[in-house]
Amino acid sequence: MRKLAFGYSTKCNIRCEHCVATEDLSVGRKMDHDKAKEIIVEMAQAGVGGISFSAGEPFLYFNKITELVKLCSQIGIYTRIVTNSFWAKTAESSDRLVSELKKNGLCQLRLSYSKWHQKNINRHNVLNAALSCQKIGLNYFISFITDFSKEDDQHEQFLRNHCLTFFPEPVIYAGRAESFKRRSILTDYQANCCDMNPYLTPDLDMYACCDAGSHFPETNFFYLGNLNDNTMEQLFTKSETDRLHNLIRTMGITNIASFTGMKAREIITYSKCELCRKLFNSPETLTRLRTEVSQLAAWSR
C-alpha cells in the first residue's frame, strides 16, 4: 500500500529547537485548499491508502484539515494527524475537537511529546488529548522524541504513570537539531531497512522520504519532482523504480554502509537517519553507489 506524509502547511505556533524544520515561522507556506482536495483524489487513484497530515501544526487549520480528513474517509484513505496538542488545554476543549475528528473519519491521532516540545506546550495538554482519544474511541499514540539522555527519564515516567500509549523515537540531527551535540547510538548491528514514505510539501514538491526530504542539499537524492510537472503516479513510480531507493527498503542502510567500506564499529554509532544522510548526502559516495548498484544488489556481508 502506498502511503504519504501530507504537508498542508509549514506554519507552526511553536518553535522547538529539535525540529527538523529549517524555515522561519514568518514564511510558513500553505497549500491551496482546493488543490489539496484534487491531489487527495489523485492519490486515491494512484493507490495511496494512507495519508499523514504533518509538516507544520495541522490544527492551526482545523476546519480545513477536518474537511480533508472527511474526503479521505469517503474515498477509502486511512488518515493520521500529527499534532503538538496546543489545542488540548482543557479536557472539555480536547473532547470537543477529538469528537469532531472522530465524526469526520480520522483513523489515528499522533501526539508529539519531548523535553523540547514541552518547553512550549504543557505536558498535560498531551495527557488531555490522549485521554480524549481513549474516552471517544479514537486510535492514538504518543511520539516520544528522545536523545536517550537521563534527562528524558522524567518525561517517559510521566507517560508511564498515566498508562499512555507511546513510542520512543530518536531525535534526527537535522534542521534546527543539527547544532545538537551528537550522541553515539552503540546498538546491535542491524539492517535498518526503511519504508521511506514520501513527503509532499505545500509547494507540491515531493520527496521519497518523509524524514529526510529536503535535508540532503548536496545531492537532492530523495527529491522526486513537483506535482505541477508530474502526476502522482509518475512520482511514486520514480521512487519505486530507483534501484538505490529499493535497496534502502530491502537491504537496509547498514549493509549499504558496510559495502562502502565503513567499519562495523563506526556504523553502530549512527542512528538510521544519520547513517542515511552520511551515505546519500555525499556526492562522491552517491556517485559510487549509482555506478556500482549492480554489485551492491548482489553483495552480501
Side-chain angles (χ1 to χ4, degrees):
M1 179 181 73
R2 287 173 169 173
K3 296 179 285 187
L4 181 139
F6 196 99
Y8 185 74
S9 168
T10 59
K11 185 177 180 180
C12 189
N13 57 336
I14 60 176
R15 188 181 177 89
C16 301
E17 64 254 53
H18 77 294
C19 186
V20 296
T22 55
E23 65 277 344
D24 293 330
L25 296 182
S26 59
V27 296
R29 304 182 306 281
K30 175 184 170 296
M31 193 180 296
D32 178 80
H33 190 64
D34 289 335
K35 185 64 176 178
K37 291 189 284 187
E38 291 177 13
I39 290 170
I40 288 173
V41 172
E42 183 182 351
M43 286 179 181
Q45 294 168 345
V48 174
I51 291 177
S52 180
F53 293 98
S54 57
E57 172 50 53
F59 274 63
L60 292 176
Y61 301 96
F62 181 79
N63 292 335
K64 299 292 188 182
I65 292 295
T66 301
E67 186 178 342
L68 297 181
V69 165
K70 184 176 181 179
L71 173 61
C72 289
S73 179
Q74 291 170 340
I75 58 180
I77 296 178
Y78 180 98
T79 51
R80 170 195 291 168
I81 297 177
V82 183
T83 176
N84 63 35
S85 304
F86 79 92
W87 44 273
K89 292 181 180 179
T90 66
E92 293 75 20
S93 64
S94 180
D95 284 352
R96 184 171 64 255
L97 269 66
V98 171
S99 295
E100 186 70 14
L101 293 170
K102 174 75 171 177
K103 182 178 70 176
N104 282 278
L106 183 69
C107 301
Q108 186 184 72
L109 201 56
R110 173 174 167 174
L111 310 172
S112 298
Y113 176 85
S114 71
K115 60 189 170 193
W116 302 289
H117 280 101
Q118 274 38 83
K119 289 180 182 179
N120 302 282
I121 304 293
N122 192 303
R123 64 185 183 179
H124 282 88
N125 285 37
V126 178
L127 176 60
N128 287 335
L131 293 178
S132 291
C133 289
Q134 292 177 3
K135 176 182 177 181
I136 292 162
L138 178 62
N139 184 259
Y140 83 95
F141 79 95
I142 295 169
S143 178
F144 174 36
I145 309 300
T146 175
D147 59 5
F148 304 106
S149 62
K150 290 183 179 180
E151 184 184 351
D152 279 337
D153 288 352
Q154 59 175 312
H155 299 285
E156 182 172 350
Q157 194 58 49
F158 175 80
L159 301 176
R160 294 186 183 279
N161 288 345
H162 293 281
C163 301
L164 303 179
T165 302
F166 71 95
F167 185 79
E169 298 185 56
V171 63
I172 298 175
Y173 294 95
R176 296 179 196 141
E178 197 164 356
S179 62
F180 285 9
K181 183 179 179 180
R182 182 180 164 273
R183 294 177 179 272
S184 296
I185 299 298
L186 296 173
T187 187
D188 292 338
Y189 196 98
Q190 50 190 305
N192 276 322
C193 298
C194 183
D195 290 338
M196 286 173 46
N197 294 322
Y199 167 58
L200 182 67
T201 75
D203 298 326
L204 309 187
D205 287 320
M206 189 161 153
Y207 295 87
C209 178
C210 60
D211 285 326
S214 61
H215 299 296
F216 284 56
E218 301 302 318
T219 61
N220 272 325
F221 174 61
F222 287 111
Y223 182 67
L224 299 176
N226 189 282
L227 274 180
N228 287 319
D229 307 311
N230 305 268
T231 67
M232 184 64 62
E233 179 64 36
Q234 287 171 333
L235 295 182
F236 267 103
T237 299
K238 184 175 181 180
S239 178
E240 292 164 355
T241 57
D242 185 298
R243 296 186 71 184
L244 282 181
H245 288 186
N246 281 325
L247 288 173
I248 291 172
R249 297 182 184 102
T250 57
M251 173 182 280
I253 299 165
T254 298
N255 291 323
I256 297 173
S258 186
F259 173 84
T260 66
M262 283 184 68
K263 292 181 173 62
R265 61 179 169 81
E266 181 185 1
I267 290 172
I268 64 169
T269 68
Y270 286 88
S271 69
K272 177 176 66 175
C273 293
E274 285 183 279
L275 188 57
C276 184
R277 187 176 186 183
K278 182 175 179 63
L279 293 173
F280 297 110
N281 197 37
S282 164
E284 297 80 9
T285 303
L286 179 57
T287 297
R288 178 192 165 188
L289 289 171
R290 289 286 191 205
T291 302
E292 300 178 7
V293 68
S294 294
Q295 296 96 304
L296 173 62
W299 182 82
S300 61
R301 288 189 293 113

